[in-house]
Amino acid sequence: MTPPNASASSGVPAVFLDRDGTLIEDRGDLREPAEAVFFAETVPALRRLHEHFRLIIVTNQPGVSTGELTREEVDRVNAHVVQHLARAGVVITAVYFCPHQRSENCACIKPKPFFLQQAAREHNLDLRRSFVIGDHPHDIELARAAGSTGVYVLTGHGLSHRADLSADILVAKNIGEAADLVLELRRR
Ligand SMILES: [Zn+2]
């Protein structure tokens, strides 16, 4: 007899990455690829993770809904982030973004696990062996909602929201330390 979770557990693990404040500096609504500034730790961290995990970017971009940004601008910046990482030998499997404001109560805004579940179906992922790295408490709630493990980074908004987190949350100084933590947890 096949256990009910056989298909889920046969999937591959992923690391879901927030974009602004986690991979690149948080500089508000980014319209141009040139506005994306990578943290020094981002490329080496993703190179280490990339050997063991699918890497997927999930980002909220409410500026689209408020009219500050167009979808095309977000797509262009996302494409630039993916290309920059590809040139460094890091493959990003997919990028998902929510264009809505929280007041719209859409299905896809973090911390709702909508895009993680979509990614799991589209890329045969095992969410229970997957991680979420982000600089907002929503990223940690997102991980919990998906059955994954969250790692909170203190870059971006990280420092200012740290007090909102419960004490049992995994906290890393930046994406580099977060990658090391994820790799250590994977080995256990
Ligand atoms: Zn949405």
Side-chain angles (χ1 to χ4, degrees):
M1 208 168 113
T2 312
N5 61 349
S7 63
S9 61
S10 69
V12 296
V15 178
F16 296 93
L17 302 151
D18 176 53
R19 197 191 78 181
D20 303 356
T22 302
L23 301 180
I24 61 177
E25 287 182 17
D26 195 330
R27 298 191 165 186
D29 293 321
L30 302 187
R31 289 180 191 79
E32 294 293 335
E35 295 176 304
V37 178
F38 283 82
F39 292 116
E41 298 82 12
T42 298
V43 163
L46 298 194
R47 277 186 178 144
R48 295 199 293 282
L49 290 174
H50 172 247
E51 293 176 30
H52 305 284
F53 296 94
R54 294 276 195 280
L55 302 179
I56 293 173
I57 296 173
V58 184
T59 174
N60 286 349
Q61 296 294 329
V64 173
S65 173
T66 60
E68 298 297 313
L69 280 174
T70 65
R71 282 178 180 271
E72 293 68 32
E73 286 167 335
V74 175
D75 284 338
R76 275 214 309 274
V77 173
N78 287 342
H80 167 75
V81 168
V82 168
Q83 279 162 18
H84 176 90
L85 294 170
R87 281 194 292 270
V90 174
V91 176
I92 299 294
T93 297
V95 180
Y96 299 92
F97 81 88
C98 163
H100 307 109
Q101 299 174 71
R102 195 156 300 283
S103 57
E104 294 171 79
N105 197 28
C106 66
C108 52
I109 197 165
K110 292 194 253 183
K112 293 180 185 172
F114 182 89
F115 286 130
L116 273 60
Q117 289 163 350
Q118 181 179 343
R121 290 192 302 274
E122 291 178 349
H123 303 287
N124 186 34
L125 307 177
D126 181 357
L127 293 179
R128 299 225 151 254
R129 289 191 294 138
S130 296
F131 294 83
V132 177
I133 301 175
D135 68 309
H136 195 283
H138 285 152
D139 294 301
I140 305 305
E141 286 177 56
L142 170 68
R144 199 172 281 149
S148 306
T149 303
V151 179
Y152 186 78
V153 288
L154 296 175
T155 46
H157 288 116
L159 271 180
S160 53
H161 290 290
R162 190 179 189 176
D164 305 340
L165 292 173
S166 60
D168 59 340
I169 296 307
L170 299 167
V171 179
K173 191 172 68 182
N174 55 37
I175 182 74
E177 216 179 272
D180 292 340
L181 198 52
V182 165
L183 291 169
E184 193 191 317
L185 291 168
R186 175 188 166 270
R187 279 191 295 270
R188 282 188 203 159

